[in-house]
Amino acid sequence: QVHLVESGGGLAQAGGSLRLSCEASGGRFMINTMAWYRQTPGKQRELVAKSTGGGVTNYADDVKGRFTISMDKDKNSVDLQMNNLKSEDTAVYYCHAVILVGLGYDEEAALNTYWGQGTQVTVSS
């Protein structure tokens, strides 16, 4: 069973920086895409940044130029470097991955979606 484990996050002042990390583990698998989403109370979870691992990245408009996503397929990990943080970046951040599992000889391959447990990012103004 694949798991996503997040680390990083915490409290930062406006204008400061934080780095989030996420690593996938558990069995034999191949990463397709990894991304970071965030959610605030009463709102839907929204995409922050996404990476295909082939150099293709997507960012939400309000984080472009401030956040950088980097994926390492060899380490099955993705980081989110967040610079020039703003109070509106305060949210719970979730790691997301689309992973090809079932790579064993007698297994049936499937493309599954996984979520991390979430990590709180709080930016004080």
Side-chain angles (χ1 to χ4, degrees), residues 38 63 66-67 84-91 93 121 123:
R38 65 187 180 189
V63 306
R66 300 189 298 121
F67 291 10
N84 191 20
L85 284 163
K86 303 177 180 180
S87 57
E88 50 263 44
D89 294 321
T90 296
Y93 284 69
V121 170
V123 182

Side-chain angles (χ1 to χ4, degrees), residues 46-86:
E46 62 177 10
L47 177 67
V48 176
K50 180 180 179 180
S51 175
T52 64
V56 178
T57 56
N58 304 99
Y59 294 92
D61 287 341
D62 58 348
V63 306
K64 285 180 181 177
R66 300 189 298 121
F67 291 10
T68 302
I69 188 170
S70 55
M71 191 171 90
D72 188 332
K73 277 196 170 182
D74 291 334
K75 296 182 179 179
N76 297 318
S77 66
V78 65
D79 291 344
L80 184 69
Q81 177 66 42
M82 304 184 292
N83 297 329
N84 191 20
L85 284 163
K86 303 177 180 180

Side-chain angles (χ1 to χ4, degrees), residues 1-2 26-29 100-110:
Q1 181 69 17
V2 176
R28 294 182 59 190
F29 58 87
L100 183 65
V101 298
L103 301 182
Y105 177 76
D106 58 349
E107 295 180 307
E108 183 175 347

Side-chain angles (χ1 to χ4, degrees), residues 3-7 21-25 34 75-78 95:
H3 299 279
L4 300 182
V5 178
E6 300 157 353
S7 60
S21 296
C22 172
E23 183 174 350
S25 62
M34 298 190 85
K75 296 182 179 179
N76 297 318
S77 66
V78 65
C95 179

